[in-house]
Amino acid sequence: MVQRVTVPSLFTPPLYSHASVVEAGTKLAFLAGSVPLDAKGNIVGEADPVRQAEQVLANLDEQLRAVGSDMAHVVSTDVYVVGSEPAVLSAVWEVVEASGLSVGPHSSTLIGVACLGYTGQLVEITATAVVPEPETDRV
């Protein structure tokens, strides 16, 4: 269903692939940016990008389940982190790696930005995922 490609002539990326190819006819979900808000709309992990990344991933997992998919079917992400220090971006990426998103591995871009949409927000992740066909009972 999904072919993940690491291009031999390019630098081998750590735990992600250069491209994910999905055969035509596969159902895809294009998810809005997952943000570090709780169910009441409050920022979780204020001033803590690692805690915010954990909340963002928990929310992303909810988004995926709502459309019939899961972390293992994510083919592409963009990970936005407020900051320009590689150590901060790396700390967030470690949370992403531990989440199950790197199963495959998937294609991803890690981006340092000046600000995000909510006051105090430090992390956001957008994703594209395959929505697998429901398995039917076979007799």
Side-chain angles (χ1 to χ4, degrees), residues 2 16 35 118 133 135:
V2 178
Y16 65 90
V35 297
Y118 292 97
E133 293 293 323
E135 292 187 29

Side-chain angles (χ1 to χ4, degrees), residues 34-59:
S34 179
V35 297
L37 301 179
D38 64 17
K40 295 179 181 178
N42 299 310
I43 288 282
V44 173
E46 194 161 332
D48 183 349
V50 168
R51 178 64 189 102
Q52 286 196 15
E54 293 166 349
Q55 183 66 41
V56 165
L57 289 160
N59 291 348

Side-chain angles (χ1 to χ4, degrees), residues 4 23 30 49 71 76 105 133:
R4 303 181 196 276
E23 188 174 325
F30 299 89
M71 295 284 203
S76 181
E133 293 293 323

Side-chain angles (χ1 to χ4, degrees), residues 1-71:
M1 186 185 287
V2 178
Q3 177 189 9
R4 303 181 196 276
V5 179
T6 301
V7 181
S9 61
L10 298 176
F11 178 76
T12 302
L15 297 175
Y16 65 90
S17 48
H18 291 114
S20 296
V21 179
V22 179
E23 188 174 325
T26 299
K27 189 175 183 180
L28 295 176
F30 299 89
L31 303 172
S34 179
V35 297
L37 301 179
D38 64 17
K40 295 179 181 178
N42 299 310
I43 288 282
V44 173
E46 194 161 332
D48 183 349
V50 168
R51 178 64 189 102
Q52 286 196 15
E54 293 166 349
Q55 183 66 41
V56 165
L57 289 160
N59 291 348
L60 179 60
D61 188 54
E62 290 290 321
Q63 288 174 275
L64 289 163
R65 286 191 286 144
V67 298
S69 192
D70 57 35
M71 295 284 203

Side-chain angles (χ1 to χ4, degrees), residues 4 14-17 57 60 70-75 77 93-108:
R4 303 181 196 276
L15 297 175
Y16 65 90
S17 48
L57 289 160
L60 179 60
D70 57 35
M71 295 284 203
H73 286 90
V74 170
V75 293
T77 59
W93 185 251
E94 287 176 14
V95 177
V96 172
E97 284 181 339
S99 72
L101 273 178
S102 60
V103 171
H106 75 293
S107 301
S108 187

